[in-house]
Structures are given as C-alpha cells and as structure tokens.
Amino acid sequence: METKLKVGDKVTCDKFASLTHDFVGTIEKIYENSAVVEIIEHHKDDNIVVSDFHDRAVVALDHMKKISA
C-alpha cells in the first residue's frame, strides 16, 4: 500500500478506544497499515487517557488525514 504520509507530517486522527474526541499529532514511525503518532493537541476531556498513552498512539493510516509537513 503506497501512502503519501511520511514521518514528521502533522495529522488529524479519528477518536478511538478510550479517547472521546479526535486529536492532532505528528507521525513518528510508519508501519504497513498504521503509524505511531505523538499526540500534540487533544481535547481537555482526554487528558488522563493521553497521559496513560504517554502522549503516543498507534493509528490506522485510513483513520488519519494530513494537515501539514
């Protein structure tokens, strides 16, 4: 699967698991169908969950959209 996303891209990601709102992050590593994303902007209601995730999440590539590089 070819993707236009690359390490360093800023992306919006769909909410999943315990997160109740979408979030913004930066791609740190790309796998075949997912990527490790550092969470840089999130809703205040998700503070505890983001902290539990250590500010990172593995997100499916089809659940994120590029904002900028």
Side-chain angles (χ1 to χ4, degrees):
M1 179 172 136
E2 188 176 337
T3 179
K4 296 183 182 194
L5 297 171
K6 60 186 182 297
V7 172
D9 285 349
K10 189 174 181 181
V11 293
T12 58
C13 301
D14 297 337
K15 64 183 178 181
F16 70 96
S18 301
L19 293 167
T20 57
H21 299 84
D22 294 348
F23 60 93
V24 175
T26 304
I27 296 177
E28 292 188 333
K29 182 171 176 103
I30 296 180
Y31 298 106
E32 188 172 329
N33 296 311
S34 61
V36 175
V37 176
E38 178 185 11
I39 301 170
I40 56 175
E41 297 174 27
H42 58 86
H43 193 276
K44 64 179 177 152
D45 292 346
D46 291 330
N47 280 343
I48 293 172
V49 176
V50 171
S51 178
D52 287 348
F53 287 171
H54 300 285
D55 298 321
R56 285 172 177 64
V58 177
V59 181
L61 294 176
D62 56 351
H63 288 272
M64 63 178 72
K65 184 176 178 182
K66 182 176 176 178
I67 298 173
S68 65

